[in-house]
Amino acid sequence: MSESLPDVPRHSAFFFDFDGTLVAIAPRPDLVAVEPHVRDVLAALSEQFGGALAIVTGRPLDVVDGFMAPLRLATAAEHGSVRRDASGGMHIDKGNAAAVEAAHAALEAFAEDKAGLLLERKSSSVALHYRARPELAAACQAAVETVVADNPELVVLPGKMVFELKPKGVDKGEAVRAFLAEAPFRGRTPVFIGDDVTDEHAFAVVNALRGISVKIDDGDTLARYRTDRKGLFDWLFQLVERV
């Protein structure tokens, strides 16, 4: 599946989701592979567009850096709770740490006797992965909803075979807004590419700013364009080669 994607203004800023967009989904988060052409095109785009390129992901920052090395890009990690700007400055939201820790403890107790569930503790959120046990989706949903009822400072963010609990007011749309308030992103047309429900906040922000929003693969979305990963990289290399 792929459709024609637009040309972009020369004064654009690029924002990329990681899993399902820059890399294919894997059975476990640690098993994804970054193909060499991914680093190549991101490096070329960053150079061509004045460094206005960032990754916006639910992953922890050190994990993204490990996968992307030797590239070290501006990154909003954990949906924006941890953000490294283009100059290397760090912006960290440490609010609601007690609620996140309580959520982790409760979900750890829930998952301990259910082989195949993966509980991922991040610095400011907790993710319960059930890709290896899809039949437990309803039970996992009930568990995270109970945790949020007990910890109303948190919200549930459903994704592809995962439920993530994170503080209210933290999402990819707000992360994009923060980048756009800073150099070298300020004043540019935003381009956001993502594949999951966690990217919808960013699509909404980009659409409101008359930018370009691209959804990878199927599913309901606010994005104005849709393609698959092959179509995405064909498009990106065309943008790089147009100069």
Side-chain angles (χ1 to χ4, degrees), residues 5-8 14 16 22 35-45 48-49 53 193 229-243:
L5 297 179
D7 199 0
V8 301
F14 288 84
F16 293 91
L22 293 179
E35 300 150 298
H37 71 263
V38 173
R39 297 184 186 88
D40 292 343
V41 76
L42 293 185
L45 282 170
Q48 184 169 323
F49 288 87
L53 184 148
I193 303 101
R229 290 188 67 246
K230 180 183 183 303
L232 170 64
F233 285 100
D234 288 347
W235 177 61
L236 295 177
F237 276 108
Q238 287 173 8
L239 296 179
V240 169
E241 292 166 358
R242 72 183 182 182
V243 175

PDB file of all heavy atoms in Angstrom, residues 5-8 14 16 22 35-45 48-49 53 193 229-243:
ATOM      1  N   LEU A   5       2.954  10.887  -2.253  1.00  0.00           N
ATOM      2  CA  LEU A   5       3.225  11.817  -1.167  1.00  0.00           C
ATOM      3  C   LEU A   5       3.677  13.148  -1.746  1.00  0.00           C
ATOM      4  O   LEU A   5       4.262  13.196  -2.830  1.00  0.00           O
ATOM      5  CB  LEU A   5       4.291  11.237  -0.233  1.00  0.00           C
ATOM      6  CG  LEU A   5       3.888   9.944   0.482  1.00  0.00           C
ATOM      7  CD1 LEU A   5       5.035   9.440   1.356  1.00  0.00           C
ATOM      8  CD2 LEU A   5       2.643  10.158   1.337  1.00  0.00           C
ATOM      9  N   PRO A   6       3.435  14.233  -1.037  1.00  0.00           N
ATOM     10  CA  PRO A   6       3.689  15.554  -1.617  1.00  0.00           C
ATOM     11  C   PRO A   6       5.162  15.935  -1.586  1.00  0.00           C
ATOM     12  O   PRO A   6       5.963  15.360  -0.839  1.00  0.00           O
ATOM     13  CB  PRO A   6       2.888  16.469  -0.700  1.00  0.00           C
ATOM     14  CG  PRO A   6       2.978  15.794   0.634  1.00  0.00           C
ATOM     15  CD  PRO A   6       2.887  14.318   0.319  1.00  0.00           C
ATOM     16  N   ASP A   7       5.505  16.918  -2.413  1.00  0.00           N
ATOM     17  CA  ASP A   7       6.777  17.587  -2.220  1.00  0.00           C
ATOM     18  C   ASP A   7       6.652  18.404  -0.934  1.00  0.00           C
ATOM     19  O   ASP A   7       5.552  18.659  -0.449  1.00  0.00           O
ATOM     20  CB  ASP A   7       7.099  18.492  -3.407  1.00  0.00           C
ATOM     21  CG  ASP A   7       8.587  18.853  -3.473  1.00  0.00           C
ATOM     22  OD1 ASP A   7       9.347  18.392  -2.592  1.00  0.00           O
ATOM     23  OD2 ASP A   7       8.972  19.589  -4.389  1.00  0.00           O
ATOM     24  N   VAL A   8       7.756  18.797  -0.362  1.00  0.00           N
ATOM     25  CA  VAL A   8       7.709  19.570   0.878  1.00  0.00           C
ATOM     26  C   VAL A   8       8.387  20.910   0.644  1.00  0.00           C
ATOM     27  O   VAL A   8       9.304  21.025  -0.180  1.00  0.00           O
ATOM     28  CB  VAL A   8       8.396  18.821   2.033  1.00  0.00           C
ATOM     29  CG1 VAL A   8       7.732  17.484   2.272  1.00  0.00           C
ATOM     30  CG2 VAL A   8       9.881  18.637   1.772  1.00  0.00           C
ATOM     31  N   PHE A  14      11.333  18.015   9.977  1.00  0.00           N
ATOM     32  CA  PHE A  14      10.898  16.620   9.939  1.00  0.00           C
ATOM     33  C   PHE A  14      10.868  16.007  11.329  1.00  0.00           C
ATOM     34  O   PHE A  14      11.816  16.165  12.112  1.00  0.00           O
ATOM     35  CB  PHE A  14      11.830  15.800   9.045  1.00  0.00           C
ATOM     36  CG  PHE A  14      11.668  16.079   7.582  1.00  0.00           C
ATOM     37  CD1 PHE A  14      12.316  17.154   6.992  1.00  0.00           C
ATOM     38  CD2 PHE A  14      10.851  15.286   6.792  1.00  0.00           C
ATOM     39  CE1 PHE A  14      12.163  17.423   5.650  1.00  0.00           C
ATOM     40  CE2 PHE A  14      10.688  15.547   5.446  1.00  0.00           C
ATOM     41  CZ  PHE A  14      11.343  16.627   4.872  1.00  0.00           C
ATOM     42  N   PHE A  16       9.967  12.160  13.110  1.00  0.00           N
ATOM     43  CA  PHE A  16       9.752  10.742  12.818  1.00  0.00           C
ATOM     44  C   PHE A  16       9.469   9.952  14.088  1.00  0.00           C
ATOM     45  O   PHE A  16      10.236  10.030  15.064  1.00  0.00           O
ATOM     46  CB  PHE A  16      11.001  10.122  12.168  1.00  0.00           C
ATOM     47  CG  PHE A  16      11.316  10.633  10.799  1.00  0.00           C
ATOM     48  CD1 PHE A  16      12.165  11.724  10.632  1.00  0.00           C
ATOM     49  CD2 PHE A  16      10.781  10.021   9.673  1.00  0.00           C
ATOM     50  CE1 PHE A  16      12.468  12.199   9.371  1.00  0.00           C
ATOM     51  CE2 PHE A  16      11.085  10.497   8.406  1.00  0.00           C
ATOM     52  CZ  PHE A  16      11.925  11.593   8.250  1.00  0.00           C
ATOM     53  N   LEU A  22      10.512   4.244  11.336  1.00  0.00           N
ATOM     54  CA  LEU A  22      11.918   4.127  10.946  1.00  0.00           C
ATOM     55  C   LEU A  22      12.382   2.677  10.951  1.00  0.00           C
ATOM     56  O   LEU A  22      13.267   2.301  10.174  1.00  0.00           O
ATOM     57  CB  LEU A  22      12.798   4.954  11.887  1.00  0.00           C
ATOM     58  CG  LEU A  22      12.613   6.473  11.799  1.00  0.00           C
ATOM     59  CD1 LEU A  22      13.533   7.160  12.798  1.00  0.00           C
ATOM     60  CD2 LEU A  22      12.878   6.990  10.386  1.00  0.00           C
ATOM     61  N   GLU A  35      17.984  -0.502   9.508  1.00  0.00           N
ATOM     62  CA  GLU A  35      18.660  -0.748   8.230  1.00  0.00           C
ATOM     63  C   GLU A  35      19.585   0.420   7.900  1.00  0.00           C
ATOM     64  O   GLU A  35      19.275   1.577   8.220  1.00  0.00           O
ATOM     65  CB  GLU A  35      17.613  -0.920   7.136  1.00  0.00           C
ATOM     66  CG  GLU A  35      16.664  -2.091   7.387  1.00  0.00           C
ATOM     67  CD  GLU A  35      15.276  -1.860   6.805  1.00  0.00           C
ATOM     68  OE1 GLU A  35      14.604  -0.910   7.227  1.00  0.00           O
ATOM     69  OE2 GLU A  35      14.896  -2.655   5.921  1.00  0.00           O
ATOM     70  N   PRO A  36      20.738   0.154   7.280  1.00  0.00           N
ATOM     71  CA  PRO A  36      21.706   1.228   7.003  1.00  0.00           C
ATOM     72  C   PRO A  36      21.116   2.407   6.248  1.00  0.00           C
ATOM     73  O   PRO A  36      21.478   3.561   6.506  1.00  0.00           O
ATOM     74  CB  PRO A  36      22.787   0.522   6.190  1.00  0.00           C
ATOM     75  CG  PRO A  36      22.724  -0.908   6.627  1.00  0.00           C
ATOM     76  CD  PRO A  36      21.269  -1.174   6.891  1.00  0.00           C
ATOM     77  N   HIS A  37      20.179   2.150   5.317  1.00  0.00           N
ATOM     78  CA  HIS A  37      19.637   3.266   4.543  1.00  0.00           C
ATOM     79  C   HIS A  37      18.832   4.227   5.406  1.00  0.00           C
ATOM     80  O   HIS A  37      18.641   5.393   5.039  1.00  0.00           O
ATOM     81  CB  HIS A  37      18.770   2.747   3.380  1.00  0.00           C
ATOM     82  CG  HIS A  37      17.466   2.142   3.790  1.00  0.00           C
ATOM     83  ND1 HIS A  37      17.282   0.790   3.942  1.00  0.00           N
ATOM     84  CD2 HIS A  37      16.270   2.711   4.082  1.00  0.00           C
ATOM     85  CE1 HIS A  37      16.040   0.548   4.293  1.00  0.00           C
ATOM     86  NE2 HIS A  37      15.403   1.695   4.398  1.00  0.00           N
ATOM     87  N   VAL A  38      18.360   3.764   6.570  1.00  0.00           N
ATOM     88  CA  VAL A  38      17.615   4.654   7.466  1.00  0.00           C
ATOM     89  C   VAL A  38      18.534   5.752   7.984  1.00  0.00           C
ATOM     90  O   VAL A  38      18.210   6.943   7.927  1.00  0.00           O
ATOM     91  CB  VAL A  38      17.002   3.854   8.630  1.00  0.00           C
ATOM     92  CG1 VAL A  38      16.365   4.797   9.658  1.00  0.00           C
ATOM     93  CG2 VAL A  38      15.974   2.855   8.104  1.00  0.00           C
ATOM     94  N   ARG A  39      19.701   5.361   8.492  1.00  0.00           N
ATOM     95  CA  ARG A  39      20.654   6.361   8.975  1.00  0.00           C
ATOM     96  C   ARG A  39      21.108   7.266   7.837  1.00  0.00           C
ATOM     97  O   ARG A  39      21.260   8.474   8.013  1.00  0.00           O
ATOM     98  CB  ARG A  39      21.857   5.678   9.615  1.00  0.00           C
ATOM     99  CG  ARG A  39      21.534   4.835  10.849  1.00  0.00           C
ATOM    100  CD  ARG A  39      22.812   4.278  11.471  1.00  0.00           C
ATOM    101  NE  ARG A  39      22.534   3.370  12.551  1.00  0.00           N
ATOM    102  CZ  ARG A  39      22.334   2.063  12.400  1.00  0.00           C
ATOM    103  NH1 ARG A  39      22.371   1.532  11.170  1.00  0.00           N
ATOM    104  NH2 ARG A  39      22.091   1.289  13.438  1.00  0.00           N
ATOM    105  N   ASP A  40      21.327   6.677   6.674  1.00  0.00           N
ATOM    106  CA  ASP A  40      21.810   7.463   5.527  1.00  0.00           C
ATOM    107  C   ASP A  40      20.830   8.570   5.161  1.00  0.00           C
ATOM    108  O   ASP A  40      21.219   9.725   4.969  1.00  0.00           O
ATOM    109  CB  ASP A  40      22.025   6.555   4.311  1.00  0.00           C
ATOM    110  CG  ASP A  40      23.172   5.571   4.496  1.00  0.00           C
ATOM    111  OD1 ASP A  40      24.000   5.793   5.409  1.00  0.00           O
ATOM    112  OD2 ASP A  40      23.230   4.591   3.724  1.00  0.00           O
ATOM    113  N   VAL A  41      19.553   8.236   5.046  1.00  0.00           N
ATOM    114  CA  VAL A  41      18.589   9.239   4.597  1.00  0.00           C
ATOM    115  C   VAL A  41      18.315  10.266   5.688  1.00  0.00           C
ATOM    116  O   VAL A  41      18.124  11.457   5.402  1.00  0.00           O
ATOM    117  CB  VAL A  41      17.292   8.578   4.089  1.00  0.00           C
ATOM    118  CG1 VAL A  41      16.413   8.099   5.235  1.00  0.00           C
ATOM    119  CG2 VAL A  41      16.524   9.540   3.185  1.00  0.00           C
ATOM    120  N   LEU A  42      18.327   9.855   6.954  1.00  0.00           N
ATOM    121  CA  LEU A  42      18.123  10.826   8.027  1.00  0.00           C
ATOM    122  C   LEU A  42      19.280  11.811   8.101  1.00  0.00           C
ATOM    123  O   LEU A  42      19.065  13.022   8.286  1.00  0.00           O
ATOM    124  CB  LEU A  42      17.954  10.118   9.370  1.00  0.00           C
ATOM    125  CG  LEU A  42      16.686   9.278   9.546  1.00  0.00           C
ATOM    126  CD1 LEU A  42      16.622   8.743  10.968  1.00  0.00           C
ATOM    127  CD2 LEU A  42      15.435  10.072   9.225  1.00  0.00           C
ATOM    128  N   ALA A  43      20.500  11.311   7.952  1.00  0.00           N
ATOM    129  CA  ALA A  43      21.657  12.204   7.958  1.00  0.00           C
ATOM    130  C   ALA A  43      21.599  13.188   6.802  1.00  0.00           C
ATOM    131  O   ALA A  43      21.878  14.387   6.960  1.00  0.00           O
ATOM    132  CB  ALA A  43      22.947  11.395   7.905  1.00  0.00           C
ATOM    133  N   ALA A  44      21.207  12.707   5.628  1.00  0.00           N
ATOM    134  CA  ALA A  44      21.126  13.577   4.457  1.00  0.00           C
ATOM    135  C   ALA A  44      20.012  14.610   4.611  1.00  0.00           C
ATOM    136  O   ALA A  44      20.179  15.786   4.270  1.00  0.00           O
ATOM    137  CB  ALA A  44      20.899  12.739   3.200  1.00  0.00           C
ATOM    138  N   LEU A  45      18.854  14.183   5.126  1.00  0.00           N
ATOM    139  CA  LEU A  45      17.756  15.121   5.340  1.00  0.00           C
ATOM    140  C   LEU A  45      18.127  16.186   6.366  1.00  0.00           C
ATOM    141  O   LEU A  45      17.822  17.373   6.193  1.00  0.00           O
ATOM    142  CB  LEU A  45      16.508  14.379   5.813  1.00  0.00           C
ATOM    143  CG  LEU A  45      15.676  13.638   4.774  1.00  0.00           C
ATOM    144  CD1 LEU A  45      14.644  12.768   5.473  1.00  0.00           C
ATOM    145  CD2 LEU A  45      14.991  14.618   3.825  1.00  0.00           C
ATOM    146  N   GLN A  48      20.355  18.646   4.701  1.00  0.00           N
ATOM    147  CA  GLN A  48      19.666  19.424   3.678  1.00  0.00           C
ATOM    148  C   GLN A  48      18.682  20.431   4.270  1.00  0.00           C
ATOM    149  O   GLN A  48      18.466  21.513   3.709  1.00  0.00           O
ATOM    150  CB  GLN A  48      18.933  18.489   2.724  1.00  0.00           C
ATOM    151  CG  GLN A  48      18.246  19.189   1.551  1.00  0.00           C
ATOM    152  CD  GLN A  48      17.770  18.191   0.508  1.00  0.00           C
ATOM    153  OE1 GLN A  48      18.427  17.191   0.251  1.00  0.00           O
ATOM    154  NE2 GLN A  48      16.628  18.469  -0.090  1.00  0.00           N
ATOM    155  N   PHE A  49      18.084  20.088   5.421  1.00  0.00           N
ATOM    156  CA  PHE A  49      17.075  20.951   6.021  1.00  0.00           C
ATOM    157  C   PHE A  49      17.579  21.645   7.288  1.00  0.00           C
ATOM    158  O   PHE A  49      16.814  21.918   8.218  1.00  0.00           O
ATOM    159  CB  PHE A  49      15.800  20.147   6.299  1.00  0.00           C
ATOM    160  CG  PHE A  49      15.044  19.804   5.034  1.00  0.00           C
ATOM    161  CD1 PHE A  49      15.358  18.659   4.315  1.00  0.00           C
ATOM    162  CD2 PHE A  49      14.062  20.645   4.550  1.00  0.00           C
ATOM    163  CE1 PHE A  49      14.674  18.343   3.143  1.00  0.00           C
ATOM    164  CE2 PHE A  49      13.364  20.341   3.378  1.00  0.00           C
ATOM    165  CZ  PHE A  49      13.682  19.194   2.666  1.00  0.00           C
ATOM    166  N   LEU A  53      15.425  18.190  12.163  1.00  0.00           N
ATOM    167  CA  LEU A  53      14.961  16.808  12.087  1.00  0.00           C
ATOM    168  C   LEU A  53      15.049  16.202  13.476  1.00  0.00           C
ATOM    169  O   LEU A  53      16.073  16.342  14.152  1.00  0.00           O
ATOM    170  CB  LEU A  53      15.786  16.008  11.092  1.00  0.00           C
ATOM    171  CG  LEU A  53      15.364  14.558  10.827  1.00  0.00           C
ATOM    172  CD1 LEU A  53      15.686  14.158   9.380  1.00  0.00           C
ATOM    173  CD2 LEU A  53      16.054  13.589  11.778  1.00  0.00           C
ATOM    174  N   ILE A 193       5.760  11.916  10.533  1.00  0.00           N
ATOM    175  CA  ILE A 193       5.483  10.579  10.000  1.00  0.00           C
ATOM    176  C   ILE A 193       5.402   9.596  11.159  1.00  0.00           C
ATOM    177  O   ILE A 193       6.325   9.505  11.983  1.00  0.00           O
ATOM    178  CB  ILE A 193       6.565  10.123   9.002  1.00  0.00           C
ATOM    179  CG1 ILE A 193       6.716  11.118   7.854  1.00  0.00           C
ATOM    180  CG2 ILE A 193       6.229   8.752   8.440  1.00  0.00           C
ATOM    181  CD1 ILE A 193       7.910  12.040   7.994  1.00  0.00           C
ATOM    182  N   ARG A 229       6.168   1.557   4.561  1.00  0.00           N
ATOM    183  CA  ARG A 229       7.550   1.943   4.849  1.00  0.00           C
ATOM    184  C   ARG A 229       8.385   2.037   3.566  1.00  0.00           C
ATOM    185  O   ARG A 229       9.246   2.910   3.450  1.00  0.00           O
ATOM    186  CB  ARG A 229       8.206   0.967   5.831  1.00  0.00           C
ATOM    187  CG  ARG A 229       7.643   1.075   7.255  1.00  0.00           C
ATOM    188  CD  ARG A 229       8.427   0.233   8.252  1.00  0.00           C
ATOM    189  NE  ARG A 229       9.765   0.759   8.427  1.00  0.00           N
ATOM    190  CZ  ARG A 229      10.880   0.136   8.064  1.00  0.00           C
ATOM    191  NH1 ARG A 229      10.818  -1.056   7.460  1.00  0.00           N
ATOM    192  NH2 ARG A 229      12.052   0.673   8.277  1.00  0.00           N
ATOM    193  N   LYS A 230       8.132   1.163   2.591  1.00  0.00           N
ATOM    194  CA  LYS A 230       8.869   1.273   1.331  1.00  0.00           C
ATOM    195  C   LYS A 230       8.540   2.600   0.647  1.00  0.00           C
ATOM    196  O   LYS A 230       9.444   3.314   0.172  1.00  0.00           O
ATOM    197  CB  LYS A 230       8.536   0.109   0.398  1.00  0.00           C
ATOM    198  CG  LYS A 230       9.293   0.188  -0.937  1.00  0.00           C
ATOM    199  CD  LYS A 230       8.908  -0.929  -1.879  1.00  0.00           C
ATOM    200  CE  LYS A 230       9.728  -0.874  -3.165  1.00  0.00           C
ATOM    201  NZ  LYS A 230       9.603   0.439  -3.876  1.00  0.00           N
ATOM    202  N   GLY A 231       7.246   2.930   0.589  1.00  0.00           N
ATOM    203  CA  GLY A 231       6.853   4.189  -0.019  1.00  0.00           C
ATOM    204  C   GLY A 231       7.440   5.380   0.719  1.00  0.00           C
ATOM    205  O   GLY A 231       7.828   6.383   0.102  1.00  0.00           O
ATOM    206  N   LEU A 232       7.522   5.264   2.037  1.00  0.00           N
ATOM    207  CA  LEU A 232       8.115   6.342   2.830  1.00  0.00           C
ATOM    208  C   LEU A 232       9.556   6.601   2.423  1.00  0.00           C
ATOM    209  O   LEU A 232       9.945   7.747   2.146  1.00  0.00           O
ATOM    210  CB  LEU A 232       8.047   5.990   4.321  1.00  0.00           C
ATOM    211  CG  LEU A 232       8.847   6.909   5.240  1.00  0.00           C
ATOM    212  CD1 LEU A 232       8.297   8.327   5.214  1.00  0.00           C
ATOM    213  CD2 LEU A 232       8.875   6.349   6.659  1.00  0.00           C
ATOM    214  N   PHE A 233      10.363   5.550   2.370  1.00  0.00           N
ATOM    215  CA  PHE A 233      11.780   5.756   2.095  1.00  0.00           C
ATOM    216  C   PHE A 233      12.039   6.102   0.632  1.00  0.00           C
ATOM    217  O   PHE A 233      12.966   6.862   0.337  1.00  0.00           O
ATOM    218  CB  PHE A 233      12.599   4.551   2.572  1.00  0.00           C
ATOM    219  CG  PHE A 233      12.742   4.535   4.070  1.00  0.00           C
ATOM    220  CD1 PHE A 233      11.934   3.730   4.857  1.00  0.00           C
ATOM    221  CD2 PHE A 233      13.646   5.373   4.691  1.00  0.00           C
ATOM    222  CE1 PHE A 233      12.029   3.751   6.230  1.00  0.00           C
ATOM    223  CE2 PHE A 233      13.758   5.402   6.072  1.00  0.00           C
ATOM    224  CZ  PHE A 233      12.943   4.590   6.843  1.00  0.00           C
ATOM    225  N   ASP A 234      11.206   5.611  -0.267  1.00  0.00           N
ATOM    226  CA  ASP A 234      11.311   6.076  -1.657  1.00  0.00           C
ATOM    227  C   ASP A 234      11.104   7.585  -1.714  1.00  0.00           C
ATOM    228  O   ASP A 234      11.839   8.308  -2.409  1.00  0.00           O
ATOM    229  CB  ASP A 234      10.262   5.373  -2.529  1.00  0.00           C
ATOM    230  CG  ASP A 234      10.582   3.912  -2.794  1.00  0.00           C
ATOM    231  OD1 ASP A 234      11.733   3.496  -2.525  1.00  0.00           O
ATOM    232  OD2 ASP A 234       9.675   3.196  -3.260  1.00  0.00           O
ATOM    233  N   TRP A 235      10.103   8.061  -1.001  1.00  0.00           N
ATOM    234  CA  TRP A 235       9.789   9.494  -0.964  1.00  0.00           C
ATOM    235  C   TRP A 235      10.918  10.301  -0.336  1.00  0.00           C
ATOM    236  O   TRP A 235      11.329  11.341  -0.872  1.00  0.00           O
ATOM    237  CB  TRP A 235       8.492   9.673  -0.189  1.00  0.00           C
ATOM    238  CG  TRP A 235       8.026  11.088   0.016  1.00  0.00           C
ATOM    239  CD1 TRP A 235       7.701  12.001  -0.944  1.00  0.00           C
ATOM    240  CD2 TRP A 235       7.775  11.714   1.282  1.00  0.00           C
ATOM    241  NE1 TRP A 235       7.258  13.172  -0.352  1.00  0.00           N
ATOM    242  CE2 TRP A 235       7.294  13.016   1.002  1.00  0.00           C
ATOM    243  CE3 TRP A 235       7.885  11.309   2.611  1.00  0.00           C
ATOM    244  CZ2 TRP A 235       6.940  13.915   2.017  1.00  0.00           C
ATOM    245  CZ3 TRP A 235       7.528  12.189   3.618  1.00  0.00           C
ATOM    246  CH2 TRP A 235       7.075  13.473   3.312  1.00  0.00           C
ATOM    247  N   LEU A 236      11.437   9.812   0.794  1.00  0.00           N
ATOM    248  CA  LEU A 236      12.501  10.546   1.478  1.00  0.00           C
ATOM    249  C   LEU A 236      13.754  10.660   0.625  1.00  0.00           C
ATOM    250  O   LEU A 236      14.379  11.732   0.572  1.00  0.00           O
ATOM    251  CB  LEU A 236      12.833   9.868   2.815  1.00  0.00           C
ATOM    252  CG  LEU A 236      11.718   9.869   3.865  1.00  0.00           C
ATOM    253  CD1 LEU A 236      12.166   9.103   5.102  1.00  0.00           C
ATOM    254  CD2 LEU A 236      11.288  11.287   4.227  1.00  0.00           C
ATOM    255  N   PHE A 237      14.116   9.594  -0.065  1.00  0.00           N
ATOM    256  CA  PHE A 237      15.307   9.654  -0.922  1.00  0.00           C
ATOM    257  C   PHE A 237      15.060  10.589  -2.114  1.00  0.00           C
ATOM    258  O   PHE A 237      15.977  11.273  -2.570  1.00  0.00           O
ATOM    259  CB  PHE A 237      15.717   8.261  -1.388  1.00  0.00           C
ATOM    260  CG  PHE A 237      16.575   7.538  -0.390  1.00  0.00           C
ATOM    261  CD1 PHE A 237      16.084   6.475   0.341  1.00  0.00           C
ATOM    262  CD2 PHE A 237      17.887   7.937  -0.176  1.00  0.00           C
ATOM    263  CE1 PHE A 237      16.879   5.815   1.272  1.00  0.00           C
ATOM    264  CE2 PHE A 237      18.690   7.279   0.749  1.00  0.00           C
ATOM    265  CZ  PHE A 237      18.183   6.223   1.481  1.00  0.00           C
ATOM    266  N   GLN A 238      13.825  10.669  -2.598  1.00  0.00           N
ATOM    267  CA  GLN A 238      13.524  11.633  -3.668  1.00  0.00           C
ATOM    268  C   GLN A 238      13.698  13.062  -3.159  1.00  0.00           C
ATOM    269  O   GLN A 238      14.206  13.927  -3.886  1.00  0.00           O
ATOM    270  CB  GLN A 238      12.084  11.420  -4.151  1.00  0.00           C
ATOM    271  CG  GLN A 238      11.889  10.160  -4.972  1.00  0.00           C
ATOM    272  CD  GLN A 238      10.419   9.905  -5.290  1.00  0.00           C
ATOM    273  OE1 GLN A 238       9.567  10.757  -5.022  1.00  0.00           O
ATOM    274  NE2 GLN A 238      10.123   8.745  -5.838  1.00  0.00           N
ATOM    275  N   LEU A 239      13.293  13.306  -1.923  1.00  0.00           N
ATOM    276  CA  LEU A 239      13.461  14.651  -1.351  1.00  0.00           C
ATOM    277  C   LEU A 239      14.938  15.010  -1.237  1.00  0.00           C
ATOM    278  O   LEU A 239      15.339  16.139  -1.513  1.00  0.00           O
ATOM    279  CB  LEU A 239      12.797  14.724   0.036  1.00  0.00           C
ATOM    280  CG  LEU A 239      11.288  14.549   0.086  1.00  0.00           C
ATOM    281  CD1 LEU A 239      10.799  14.632   1.525  1.00  0.00           C
ATOM    282  CD2 LEU A 239      10.585  15.594  -0.768  1.00  0.00           C
ATOM    283  N   VAL A 240      15.746  14.048  -0.853  1.00  0.00           N
ATOM    284  CA  VAL A 240      17.179  14.281  -0.698  1.00  0.00           C
ATOM    285  C   VAL A 240      17.829  14.532  -2.064  1.00  0.00           C
ATOM    286  O   VAL A 240      18.696  15.420  -2.211  1.00  0.00           O
ATOM    287  CB  VAL A 240      17.856  13.097  -0.002  1.00  0.00           C
ATOM    288  CG1 VAL A 240      19.366  13.199  -0.075  1.00  0.00           C
ATOM    289  CG2 VAL A 240      17.395  13.014   1.463  1.00  0.00           C
ATOM    290  N   GLU A 241      17.384  13.774  -3.062  1.00  0.00           N
ATOM    291  CA  GLU A 241      18.045  13.823  -4.373  1.00  0.00           C
ATOM    292  C   GLU A 241      17.562  14.962  -5.260  1.00  0.00           C
ATOM    293  O   GLU A 241      18.110  15.188  -6.341  1.00  0.00           O
ATOM    294  CB  GLU A 241      17.821  12.491  -5.098  1.00  0.00           C
ATOM    295  CG  GLU A 241      18.547  11.324  -4.420  1.00  0.00           C
ATOM    296  CD  GLU A 241      18.083   9.981  -4.917  1.00  0.00           C
ATOM    297  OE1 GLU A 241      17.155   9.946  -5.776  1.00  0.00           O
ATOM    298  OE2 GLU A 241      18.624   8.954  -4.463  1.00  0.00           O
ATOM    299  N   ARG A 242      16.563  15.706  -4.808  1.00  0.00           N
ATOM    300  CA  ARG A 242      16.001  16.742  -5.668  1.00  0.00           C
ATOM    301  C   ARG A 242      16.950  17.936  -5.834  1.00  0.00           C
ATOM    302  O   ARG A 242      16.780  18.753  -6.731  1.00  0.00           O
ATOM    303  CB  ARG A 242      14.668  17.223  -5.125  1.00  0.00           C
ATOM    304  CG  ARG A 242      14.772  18.066  -3.862  1.00  0.00           C
ATOM    305  CD  ARG A 242      13.418  18.463  -3.337  1.00  0.00           C
ATOM    306  NE  ARG A 242      13.527  19.308  -2.158  1.00  0.00           N
ATOM    307  CZ  ARG A 242      12.498  19.766  -1.480  1.00  0.00           C
ATOM    308  NH1 ARG A 242      11.277  19.438  -1.838  1.00  0.00           N
ATOM    309  NH2 ARG A 242      12.669  20.541  -0.413  1.00  0.00           N
ATOM    310  N   VAL A 243      17.933  18.038  -4.924  1.00  0.00           N
ATOM    311  CA  VAL A 243      18.874  19.172  -5.010  1.00  0.00           C
ATOM    312  C   VAL A 243      20.007  18.844  -5.940  1.00  0.00           C
ATOM    313  O   VAL A 243      20.559  17.744  -5.902  1.00  0.00           O
ATOM    314  CB  VAL A 243      19.413  19.491  -3.596  1.00  0.00           C
ATOM    315  CG1 VAL A 243      20.476  20.586  -3.701  1.00  0.00           C
ATOM    316  CG2 VAL A 243      18.294  19.915  -2.686  1.00  0.00           C
TER     317      VAL A 243
END
